[in-house]
Amino acid sequence: MAGNITFTMIKPKAMANGHMGNILSKIIEGGFKIKAMKLTRLTKEQAMEFYAVHKERPFYNGLTDFMSSGPIIAAVLEKENAVQAYRDYIGATNPAEAAEGTIRALYGTDIEANAVHGSDSDENAVIESSFFFAKREWV
Ligand code: CMP
């Protein structure tokens, strides 16, 4: 199981701009299997907890305001070497630097509203998936 799972969120601005269908299609086209998925919304406190690793960073308050500003889609994805494969597939954190055709290049507008989140390690993929889903929903 470890190594085959990553966690993603479609962020509020991509949702508000109506890109959720296209983003989900891209995820599936990329060979990622959706193991669990929900449309939900974070409170400011939940966004602060989710992004607690960034709490000393200058963008933490703005990022957590933004991530609690509207509905999101949270999903657990499965693919071989899922964390790195998905990071490559979505592109660089800053959409302006993301490779052509990647999800962030296509649907991100700035470094905060960069369309989607992707886990940065196998360990965080499990922690982040467990933040949103019961184990029985994705294991
Ligand atoms: P994400 O993959 O959700 O993980 C952490 C997020 O912090 C990242 O995407 C960006 O949206 C955001 N982020 C990272 N660096 C910056 C920055 N310099 N300014 C604003 N937001 C940032």
Side-chain angles (χ1 to χ4, degrees):
M1 183 59 71
N4 293 339
I5 290 292
T6 193
F7 173 79
T8 191
M9 291 184 283
I10 302 178
K11 298 191 177 188
K13 191 166 179 185
M15 295 289 288
N17 287 340
H19 296 316
M20 64 284 258
N22 288 332
I23 291 173
L24 290 171
S25 292
K26 280 284 280 185
I27 288 171
I28 293 163
E29 278 166 26
F32 297 89
K33 182 176 170 192
I34 299 175
K35 297 277 287 180
M37 181 168 76
K38 68 171 77 161
L39 194 157
T40 185
R41 186 172 175 154
L42 292 169
T43 63
K44 171 77 173 175
E45 290 69 29
Q46 287 169 329
M48 289 171 71
E49 189 184 342
F50 184 89
Y51 282 112
V53 64
H54 296 304
K55 65 174 179 286
E56 307 302 337
R57 309 289 286 274
F59 57 81
Y60 179 63
N61 190 47
L63 176 66
T64 53
D65 275 350
F66 167 63
M67 288 304 296
S68 56
S69 68
I72 60 160
I73 285 175
V76 183
L77 308 178
E78 184 180 67
K79 189 179 183 174
E80 198 178 324
N81 192 22
V83 167
Q84 191 57 48
Y86 192 62
R87 287 171 71 81
D88 292 345
Y89 195 63
I90 63 181
T93 304
N94 187 347
E97 293 161 13
E100 201 179 327
T102 59
I103 291 176
R104 284 171 166 163
L106 288 168
Y107 302 113
T109 54
D110 58 74
I111 194 164
E112 187 175 87
N114 59 355
V116 291
H117 168 78
S119 304
D120 64 2
S121 67
D122 289 343
E123 187 190 5
N124 282 335
V126 171
I127 292 169
E128 293 172 0
S129 297
S130 302
F131 189 91
F132 284 90
F133 298 99
K135 272 247 158 93
R136 64 181 159 73
E137 293 177 289
W138 58 272
V139 169

